[in-house]
Amino acid sequence: MRLVGSAITIAVAILGFAAIAQQTGSGTNQPPAQSPPPTPAANGSQPQVDESALRYFASQGDTRRVNAEIARLRALYPNWTPPSDLSQLSGGAAAAAPDPLIERLWNLYREDRIAEVRAAIAERQTSDPNWKAPEELVAALETVEARRRLTNASDTGQWRTVLQVATEAPSLLTCVNVDVLWRVAEAFARTDQPNRTRDVYTYLLQNCANPGERLATLQKALTLLPEQQVTALLQFERKTGESPDDFSSIRDELARRRVERASLDSKMTASAEDLTVVERLIQNTNESGPVLILGWYNYHHGNPARALELFKTALDRNAGAKAAEGYAMSLRALERISEAEAFAYEWRERAPENMKIYLDVATALLSQDPPPRLEPQVLTRIVPVVTAQRFSDAAQALGWYSYNTQQIRTARDWFRTALSWKADDEASAYGLALTTQRLNDRAGFNAVVAQWRSRSQRIADLADGINPPSGRQPAATPPIAAQAPMAQAVESTPLPVQPRLVPRQATVEQVETEQTFSRTEDNVRRRQTQARSALGRSCAMTRNPAGLSGDSALTRGWCLMEINRPMEAVAAFDQAIATGSSRTREEAAYGKSLAYLRKNLTSEAAIAAAEAPQTRERRVELGASILTQRALAAYRDGRYVETLLALSERARIVPEQNDLLLIRGWSYLKLGRYGDAEKVFRAVQQTGYSEEAAAGLNAIREVTGQMRY
């Protein structure tokens, strides 16, 4: 006998004739042993078909199963046609005297209790060896069991088992079981047979009519097949009939993918049609994906202005770190590097890529020639990040920035730091040679020359007196990064303490600064006392400052500072800044900074100080206070390099106090810079702090193995 119909045809097309031949008996026409269908009538009349399952489902009024059974029987018996009146299926002799057991078996099958059906059949055959279950019931059970084995194998990734089960049960491979066909297609893909996957999808699109399943087939193809094969499947779109297809979403996805590939490669160009599709996706959805793709495409194809707009839209759609990365890079490409630095700083900790772009932008900001004048808060946020990340390019850029702004000692320290992070950095070595030469540090200069003469021609030339450098960064030094705006330098690494060698000009400047501190402290106390007297007991009463005039809010802020309620004072100062005159705003911004400093919120204090212009005395006072707190916080956390950077910046604007000099000395010691630590402790010892300084000197002796004092 021979199994005919679409099921075997599908199996041959999809699984291959060899597999089916192996199942049915090589070169023979023998049907599968487990489910032998009856022979079609020789004269082409209606074949003998077991309609018991159909009859049962009809008797139960189960329309869905009736339709599924009709589809299954048509697949197995192409010449069979169902009765025109399905009610006939429940009539006749069979219906008049149904077998109770058969009725029970079909009920169990209908409830998907397959194991119980098998057990009942076995029990009946044990008691009556001549009894046989209806062929349709047996075939239905085998189909269900095969589908379960195939589904379980698919769910657990046993792809070859999926194909084996499909080969053994070709009747599963019809449009009645679209999910099975999808799983078989995936099994082919997972076993590196993409052409067979394409064959399965082709069969589905040629033979299965459900529009939703047809679209889902292409969606699955997108995940498993090369794009050219997916494109080829679009030819099967049905644009006419009762249920036409709509494969436009598939075409849009293919266009989006092409633009995405071009967005990552400046050598690839997307077609105008594909770009129009992605533009339309942006307009028709609130998703961020298409916006990011088009943003990166414009960035990599020379249109950073449009890219900036798109990345801003992506940020508005919560695209997150990737959109922020593109926004910062677009600002940099537009040479708006100050904006890029400020923006990238806020996003630096969201992802490694965001930290990288911040360091790159900061390096670019420091690398311009001539160096622009940077605001102190810009540098005070760059330096800790560079130090924490140990980013040698930015350290080198800080070195050249300091060198070009005539901060030679700071420049030397930054070049040393860059070399400690990247020992083979020739540009930093050259900078170190220049700065040690400018500082008349012969020992340091000779050490650099001895190490680098054979590796750097320009260091050798410097040692030989050839082409002495000017006061600017040598043109031969390659730029670190792209261009950007900049500002005032930060003495970011520690300066040796030499109190007896301070020039007279610096000494006078320090005396003036000390007088400024004395005046400002007295003025603050006076303001607070006056405000407390003006408000009396009402100062302590909690009150929302909104609605107060600028002067009234300012007075309340100083009063709250007097009674040590700084965060409430901040709210009052904010109201004064918002509503007061220019003089009131200046005073309020100053008070707000002091309030934040009282809570050790140094970053907030620095921001507050910039909310209104301040006098030179106040800038010095606030800057020194902020840097003091940063140094102390860094020291407590064991961040000794950052401690030294903050102390050196503070020493640039005010005299260094003995207690802070001691912290400087201990930081040097913790970093293994014993010579620098000893200089500091000895300098402190000469000012009367002999006991504290002696402890530091003894610690150096212990570490270095020398005799204790």
Side-chain angles (χ1 to χ4, degrees):
M1 298 190 300
R2 178 178 177 140
L3 182 62
V4 295
S6 60
I8 192 66
T9 304
I10 298 164
V12 171
I14 296 176
L15 298 174
F17 181 81
I20 298 302
Q22 182 179 5
Q23 171 203 328
T24 58
S26 180
T28 72
N29 291 327
Q30 296 300 318
Q34 75 273 19
S35 181
T39 305
N43 58 4
S45 61
Q46 186 85 331
Q48 296 297 316
V49 176
D50 184 348
E51 298 174 348
S52 58
L54 192 59
R55 182 183 307 112
Y56 171 75
F57 295 139
S59 68
Q60 298 295 316
D62 192 339
T63 304
R64 184 182 63 84
R65 287 185 178 268
V66 166
N67 292 335
E69 182 65 9
I70 289 174
R72 190 181 72 85
L73 292 174
R74 278 176 169 168
L76 290 173
Y77 308 102
N79 294 329
W80 174 80
T81 56
S84 57
D85 184 2
L86 290 179
S87 62
Q88 297 176 5
L89 296 173
S90 58
D99 184 336
L101 176 61
I102 299 299
E103 185 90 8
R104 176 169 170 263
L105 292 176
W106 280 115
N107 279 329
L108 292 172
Y109 172 82
R110 184 186 182 199
E111 296 170 4
D112 204 30
R113 296 158 65 181
I114 305 303
E116 294 181 46
V117 176
R118 287 291 191 187
I121 290 174
E123 181 181 354
R124 177 63 180 270
Q125 288 177 335
T126 299
S127 62
D128 184 1
N130 294 323
W131 182 85
K132 291 184 179 181
E135 292 182 359
E136 282 298 302
L137 178 60
V138 172
L141 291 173
E142 291 173 347
T143 298
V144 170
E145 291 166 343
R147 185 188 300 111
R148 286 183 176 179
R149 291 197 306 275
L150 188 147
T151 300
N152 291 337
S154 174
D155 290 342
T156 56
Q158 301 177 51
W159 306 114
R160 297 197 180 279
T161 301
V162 171
L163 297 178
Q164 179 182 352
V165 173
T167 303
E168 294 170 351
S171 60
L172 287 174
L173 307 178
T174 69
C175 292
V176 176
N177 301 302
V178 170
D179 180 68
V180 170
L181 290 171
W182 287 337
R183 291 174 183 272
V184 170
E186 183 176 7
F188 279 131
R190 303 301 183 192
T191 55
D192 299 323
Q193 302 178 74
N195 289 338
R196 290 293 182 83
T197 301
R198 178 203 59 205
D199 292 342
V200 177
Y201 292 146
T202 299
Y203 166 77
L204 275 162
L205 294 171
Q206 287 180 326
N207 296 278
C208 303
N210 185 291
E213 292 174 345
R214 292 167 60 79
L215 178 60
T217 296
L218 279 170
Q219 291 169 341
K220 291 179 179 295
L222 279 171
T223 67
L224 296 174
L225 290 180
E227 287 182 23
Q228 62 270 23
Q229 291 192 357
V230 178
T231 302
L233 292 175
L234 290 172
Q235 66 179 301
F236 298 111
E237 183 177 22
R238 296 176 179 175
K239 298 183 179 181
T240 59
E242 295 182 0
S243 302
D245 294 323
D246 182 4
F247 291 166
S248 59
S249 62
I250 306 300
R251 292 186 174 85
D252 289 350
E253 174 62 18
L254 291 171
R256 188 199 65 81
R257 291 186 180 189
R258 290 190 290 267
V259 175
E260 183 175 20
R261 284 197 299 273
S263 74
L264 304 175
D265 186 350
S266 59
K267 297 179 181 178
M268 293 180 61
T269 303
S271 68
E273 293 79 5
D274 287 349
L275 291 171
T276 299
V277 168
V278 178
E279 288 278 10
R280 176 166 49 78
L281 292 175
I282 292 173
Q283 299 299 323
N284 294 343
T285 71
N286 289 322
E287 297 178 2
S288 60
V291 190
L292 280 175
I293 289 172
L294 202 57
W296 286 112
Y297 181 85
N298 279 275
Y299 176 82
H300 285 125
H301 290 78
N303 192 356
R306 174 60 175 152
L308 188 69
E309 296 174 1
L310 289 162
F311 287 128
K312 177 61 170 65
T313 300
L315 285 169
D316 293 340
R317 296 183 182 185
N318 299 317
K322 197 64 180 176
E325 179 188 355
Y327 191 83
M329 292 175 69
S330 298
L331 284 172
R332 175 178 169 178
L334 292 167
E335 299 187 2
R336 294 161 57 181
I337 305 184
S338 289
E339 295 177 60
E341 185 276 332
F343 175 83
Y345 179 81
E346 300 299 326
W347 285 84
R348 70 193 185 284
E349 295 181 347
R350 303 294 183 91
E353 294 79 11
N354 295 96
M355 178 62 76
K356 180 180 183 303
I357 190 58
Y358 175 70
L359 291 170
D360 289 344
V361 169
T363 302
L365 189 61
L366 295 163
S367 300
Q368 285 188 310
D369 186 17
R373 188 172 181 79
L374 293 174
E375 293 297 324
Q377 61 265 30
V378 175
L379 288 163
T380 53
R381 68 184 178 221
I382 290 176
V383 168
V385 179
V386 171
T387 303
Q389 297 295 315
R390 300 172 66 86
F391 190 61
S392 60
D393 286 354
Q396 182 200 133
L398 282 163
W400 288 119
Y401 183 82
S402 301
Y403 183 88
N404 290 334
T405 53
Q406 300 305 308
Q407 299 176 84
I408 308 304
R409 194 179 297 274
T410 299
R412 179 194 62 182
D413 292 340
W414 272 118
F415 289 131
R416 281 178 176 168
T417 300
L419 282 170
S420 71
W421 295 340
K422 187 178 180 183
D424 61 348
D425 186 1
E426 189 271 349
S428 294
Y430 181 55
L432 183 58
L434 282 176
T435 52
T436 52
Q437 185 184 64
R438 287 279 300 275
L439 293 168
N440 294 319
D441 180 2
R442 299 305 304 172
F445 178 76
N446 291 335
V448 177
V449 172
Q451 183 179 1
W452 284 89
R453 176 186 283 274
S454 61
R455 291 186 283 167
S456 172
Q457 183 60 50
R458 56 182 175 171
I459 292 178
D461 290 345
L462 193 63
D464 297 337
I466 302 172
N467 298 326
S470 64
R472 302 205 57 75
Q473 176 178 345
T477 300
I480 307 300
Q483 298 179 344
M486 321 184 82
Q488 187 178 3
V490 172
E491 285 278 348
S492 47
T493 32
L495 303 176
V497 181
Q498 297 176 328
R500 298 181 183 276
L501 301 178
V502 176
R504 174 167 177 76
Q505 180 182 1
T507 303
V508 171
E509 192 175 63
Q510 289 178 1
V511 171
E512 290 178 351
T513 303
E514 289 171 359
Q515 294 172 351
T516 296
F517 267 111
S518 177
R519 288 198 304 271
T520 53
E521 289 175 3
D522 291 342
N523 289 338
V524 168
R525 284 194 293 270
R526 178 173 52 80
R527 289 184 182 90
Q528 293 177 170
T529 302
Q530 291 174 345
R532 179 70 183 275
S533 299
L535 293 179
R537 297 180 61 182
S538 66
C539 176
M541 297 175 60
T542 302
R543 178 181 178 182
N544 187 340
L548 292 177
S549 67
D551 290 340
S552 297
L554 179 64
T555 300
R556 180 167 180 78
W558 284 121
C559 185
L560 290 167
M561 289 288 286
E562 172 70 10
I563 62 176
N564 199 27
R565 287 158 63 174
M567 297 314 293
E568 292 180 62
V570 167
F573 288 132
D574 279 334
Q575 176 67 10
I577 292 170
T579 62
S581 64
S582 59
R583 178 67 178 171
T584 299
R585 289 198 300 272
E586 175 188 337
E587 186 88 2
Y590 172 64
K592 182 178 176 181
S593 298
L594 294 179
Y596 277 130
L597 285 173
R598 194 171 292 183
K599 299 296 289 185
N600 290 324
L601 300 172
T602 54
S603 297
E604 290 81 353
I607 294 171
E611 291 188 38
Q614 300 292 325
T615 64
R616 176 183 178 277
E617 290 81 3
R618 286 179 177 173
R619 289 199 304 271
V620 170
E621 176 197 0
L622 292 173
S625 298
I626 289 169
L627 289 166
T628 299
Q629 290 195 8
R630 284 180 175 167
L632 294 174
Y635 185 80
R636 284 194 299 269
D637 294 342
R639 295 178 281 117
Y640 303 113
V641 172
E642 293 181 43
T643 303
L644 293 170
L645 296 178
L647 289 175
S648 295
E649 171 61 6
R650 186 185 184 280
R652 192 173 64 83
I653 57 176
V654 296
E656 195 153 25
Q657 305 161 192
N658 279 329
D659 54 348
L660 295 179
L661 283 172
L662 287 170
I663 289 177
R664 179 190 288 280
W666 284 107
S667 297
Y668 279 139
L669 192 150
K670 295 289 187 181
L671 293 171
R673 296 173 61 175
Y674 305 119
D676 290 332
E678 184 175 358
K679 290 179 183 178
V680 173
F681 288 134
R682 288 193 183 280
V684 175
Q685 194 175 46
Q686 296 173 11
T687 65
Y689 277 61
S690 57
E691 183 176 346
E692 294 86 344
L697 292 169
N698 285 336
I700 295 173
R701 297 295 186 274
E702 290 180 2
V703 172
T704 59
Q706 299 179 14
M707 183 182 298
R708 292 171 57 93
Y709 278 153

